[in-house]
Amino acid sequence: MNSKGARHKPQIRHGVKPAPNPKSCKAITVITTHVNADFDAFASMLAAKKLYPDALMVFPGSQEKNLRDFFVKSMAYMYNIVKIKDIDLNAVGLLILVDTRQASRIGKLADIVHRPGLEVHIYDHHPPMPDDLSGSVVVTQMTGATVTILTKILRDKKILITPEEATIMALGLYEDTGSFTFTSTTEDDYLAAAYLLSKGANLNVVSDIITREMTPEQVSLLNDMIEGVTHYTVNGIDVAVTRLTCDTYIGDFALLVHKLKDIHNLDVIFALASMENRVYMVARSRLPEVDVGKITMAFGGGGHPSAASATIRGQTLIQVEEKLFGLLNQFINPEQSARDLVSAPAIHVEPAVTLKEAHDLLTRYNVNVIVVQESDDLLGIISRQVIEKAIHHELEHVPVREYMTINIDTVSPDAPLSEIQEKIIGNTQRLLPVVENGRVIGVITRTDLLNILVSDPACIPESTVDGKEWKTHVRERRMAKFLTERLPEEIIELLMAIGRVADSLGYNAYAVGGFVRDIFLYQENLDTDVVIEGDGIEFARALTASLGGRVRAHEKFGTAVVILPDDRKIDVATARLEYYKSPGALPTVETGSIKLDLYRRDFTINTLAIRLNPDRFGNLIDFFGAQKDLKRKMIRVLHNLSFVEDPTRVFRAVRFEQRFGFRIGKLTSALIENAVRMDFFRELSGPRLFSELRQILNEDKPVMALGRLHEYNLLKAIHPKIVYNSALEALLHSVEKVLTWHNLLFLEEPCREWMVYLLALVRSFDQSVREALCNRLQLTQRHRKVLIYEKTKAEECMKWMASQQILKNSDLYKKLRPFHTETLLYTMASATRNSIKQAVSNYITRLRSTTTLLDGRYLKEVGFEPGPIYREILEGLLDARLDGQVETLLDEVEFVRNNWRIEHGA
């Protein structure tokens, strides 16, 4: 049974093309379904008819009463249903089965399914059973309804359906999913419903039929069922059984069972009804331990693990009930609890114990994970892998509290196996403490769990053991259609070309990183990053040979940048693993796989990859739960030593948290605090630290990120004298407003917004401290000029402006002209007087672009000899224009005549 909302890849096997022309092969094509057909069966037959237009639709036996009523009251007879007695079974050359694949459920048609020469096509959503038929075309998928599978095929093939057909198909979908309330409902069912609605499905008709009122006979029958419920405990599981006898058949028995289940909130219910000469069984289960599909199959029926039915002939109600109890004891396995698996006592250490001492303890007891507790309080766990990596970084003297995993799952002694399995495997927790009355009484390890699962192979999940480590559960989804909806056509074509070139070299190619992450966050990011399982540089050269352009290769790291003829860039990397020789050092690189390449990344949300090779183009790979963290809006590191190996990841954690509106996970937050206490940032090079700071300051809203850096005491890593207080916060918000104002001017001049924020951060620094900061960050001379010299001059300029009672435009122009735009905007933001803000604003918007209409050529024409006089005249003329003394060309000519004579230049 697929979990609620989960999507499963359809299983398709084929040997011939579907929908052969029965006339050309002189054989009849028949579409059929199971006996007691419901709306999903009929809807699936109708959908199959669209795929096989020359086929005949045949019911193998009776239909459920609700479907029979629909035929009587609607135009469904127009769909040309043929009676089985009118079919020459020997003439059937192609048999299409929908909503079933069991011969026992197709009536007389079962007589021909093994006939030589008969071709069988199957479309079904039920779980596989041992007696399933085989076919030349088999399309199966775990969805809530079979019509979902066929709707997707019709949509993909662009086969038109009418509103009436869409309505019938929607009836099947809504009925089989319980109007999308059954746990068997999947994402694909919702997508199918959306598509049918877009094709005109009438929900009023669906509602009238699905939400029908019960007849008086049904109400009486339901009352008998309620009074007849008996509870049995089978291997620790509560099973409800109700039984009744009716002289005549009463329809919608399954509906009554569903109502009974809801009224009593039953986890498992088997309803047995003797009506006419048959016994009808309807079963429902909410528990994974009880697979009602397997149990009903023993009676010739079938269905899903959570919903199934059977029609039984030739047995009395008592016989069926006796057989049922035998099967319940056989199929319901006794539930084991944590008490049965626990290893006691729990080996533990105090949080103040050093990593070296903890490592010695692990070796002494030959265990790989140990509990950390203080008195009886459970604080966390720590693994051998984390301890040994920390010791590699010479941190053996650090207490275990700094690198233990916190916020861990625990279980009570009565916790069932399913809960233990989910917490150890689903949450990838290597050791599970068992807690009773607030005290750790023991632990359950992965090995303990595996020993139980191996005894019942059906219970073993997709994650298995490989040596000492669990293989990561690879979540792979087909996303090609989603990519075409989210990305421009030229990017899709480029990705396909990358896949083809990689294929030609025998390499695997993947799109990775922020490019993939932002597709799912619906944010535009066309910076294409590609990882190659193979030689990335060789691939890059082959790609340019195919598409044109040039390559910049970096042999040391196995990376390259492909620059296409249209100047688009593709970052190419060889799949690699990295290790760090010391905290903050650059990584040492070795060739690896895509999984190892993704494991070296900073956060889980950046570990998604999309396959680009043609055979699996668009398949999304998720080794580390990235989709889950994107959904939960969580920033998490991949391992506890992540910030030790690369402290710059701390800044990225804050940046991504604020950019996406996410939150940093509890353990990741604790590891950030540890990195600050250990001061791993002292080993960072200036350029690496400056790069992270600049990226934060370049964010759309960096003020919140700077506040978060302050909360973690991270601003001291930039410089210990940065004091984040209300005054600085107010200045940063003022910078934000000024930059917004400047952007709305739509000026063509460039502006390094990060520099304006940096000027604000160092507002309280004197010149010598700013020089020290520039040295620490190894800033360029251009940046140093703004941060050291211009800042000082700008503050002097503000004092000068504040002292002026009357501020002439020409004087303001001379004072502000030497400054870069960033310094001017900082001046506006930091000014406390509105008059100063307005003056700088006036300069930026009007005065700075002011020029004279006359130039040196005019002066030469009228007789001035070239020399210093030109500069004197033009500057005087510009002052006059700035101060409003001249406006037109004639005004400028007159101004020059009145103030300079030709003989001055002689």
Side-chain angles (χ1 to χ4, degrees), residues 795-805 807 832-833 835-836:
E795 289 167 350
E796 292 173 358
C797 183
M798 278 194 283
K799 292 178 181 178
W800 173 80
M801 285 189 283
S803 68
Q804 301 298 305
Q805 292 185 349
L807 190 57
T832 56
R833 292 191 181 185
S835 59
I836 296 177

XYZ file of all heavy atoms in Angstrom, residues 795-805 807 832-833 835-836:
132
model
N 32.196 62.001 6.020
C 31.769 62.469 7.336
C 32.181 63.926 7.552
O 31.441 64.701 8.165
C 32.333 61.542 8.409
C 31.634 60.170 8.395
C 32.349 59.116 9.205
O 33.500 59.390 9.643
O 31.775 58.033 9.393
N 33.359 64.298 7.028
C 33.767 65.708 7.089
C 32.818 66.569 6.264
O 32.460 67.687 6.659
C 35.200 65.862 6.579
C 36.243 65.229 7.477
C 37.635 65.265 6.856
O 37.745 65.757 5.686
O 38.602 64.824 7.506
N 32.403 66.032 5.123
C 31.484 66.766 4.242
C 30.131 66.989 4.926
O 29.521 68.055 4.797
C 31.316 66.009 2.931
S 30.278 66.860 1.729
N 29.651 65.954 5.652
C 28.374 66.104 6.354
C 28.460 67.221 7.395
O 27.515 68.000 7.577
C 27.985 64.779 7.009
C 27.307 63.792 6.074
S 26.520 62.432 6.943
C 27.951 61.449 7.353
N 29.584 67.298 8.091
C 29.764 68.373 9.073
C 29.769 69.734 8.390
O 29.200 70.707 8.898
C 31.069 68.160 9.845
C 31.059 66.939 10.752
C 32.403 66.767 11.450
C 32.399 65.524 12.336
N 33.739 65.315 12.979
N 30.423 69.791 7.246
C 30.464 71.057 6.495
C 29.057 71.463 6.062
O 28.667 72.621 6.208
C 31.375 70.892 5.272
C 31.333 72.079 4.353
C 31.999 73.262 4.504
C 30.539 72.186 3.166
N 31.689 74.120 3.471
C 30.786 73.473 2.638
C 29.673 71.327 2.512
C 30.189 73.931 1.477
C 29.080 71.780 1.362
C 29.313 73.057 0.842
N 28.288 70.514 5.525
C 26.926 70.837 5.083
C 26.068 71.293 6.257
O 25.236 72.188 6.132
C 26.288 69.616 4.401
C 26.828 69.348 3.008
S 25.891 68.066 2.124
C 26.533 66.596 2.904
N 26.274 70.685 7.411
C 25.484 71.071 8.586
C 25.811 72.478 9.049
O 24.967 73.157 9.658
C 25.732 70.073 9.711
N 27.030 72.957 8.736
C 27.457 74.286 9.191
C 27.022 75.404 8.250
O 27.151 76.588 8.591
C 28.977 74.305 9.348
O 29.614 74.205 8.073
N 26.542 75.069 7.050
C 26.203 76.070 6.043
C 24.758 76.552 6.229
O 23.833 75.744 6.248
C 26.374 75.506 4.633
C 27.769 75.015 4.318
C 28.804 76.119 4.379
O 28.671 77.154 3.699
N 29.828 75.942 5.212
N 24.608 77.854 6.370
C 23.247 78.391 6.438
C 22.609 78.405 5.059
O 21.421 78.128 4.904
C 23.262 79.810 7.026
C 23.661 79.837 8.491
C 23.554 81.234 9.070
O 23.387 82.225 8.346
N 23.660 81.328 10.394
N 23.355 76.854 1.221
C 24.191 75.871 0.523
C 23.998 76.036 -0.978
O 22.952 75.693 -1.535
C 23.793 74.454 0.956
C 24.718 73.313 0.506
C 26.140 73.542 0.993
C 24.194 71.989 1.031
N 21.581 62.715 9.805
C 20.479 62.863 10.767
C 19.583 64.044 10.415
O 18.473 64.149 10.943
C 21.041 63.044 12.183
O 21.938 64.165 12.198
C 21.785 61.786 12.615
N 20.079 64.942 9.553
C 19.285 66.105 9.156
C 18.655 65.873 7.783
O 19.329 65.431 6.856
C 20.168 67.355 9.090
C 20.683 67.833 10.428
C 21.310 69.204 10.276
N 21.849 69.696 11.518
C 22.355 70.919 11.661
N 22.393 71.743 10.612
N 22.843 71.310 12.829
N 17.852 68.137 5.754
C 18.452 69.069 4.785
C 19.657 68.430 4.099
O 19.881 68.630 2.902
C 18.866 70.368 5.493
O 19.811 70.089 6.530
N 20.417 67.644 4.844
C 21.579 66.972 4.255
C 21.119 65.857 3.318
O 21.660 65.697 2.212
C 22.503 66.428 5.364
C 23.075 67.583 6.194
C 23.623 65.585 4.756
C 23.942 67.139 7.347
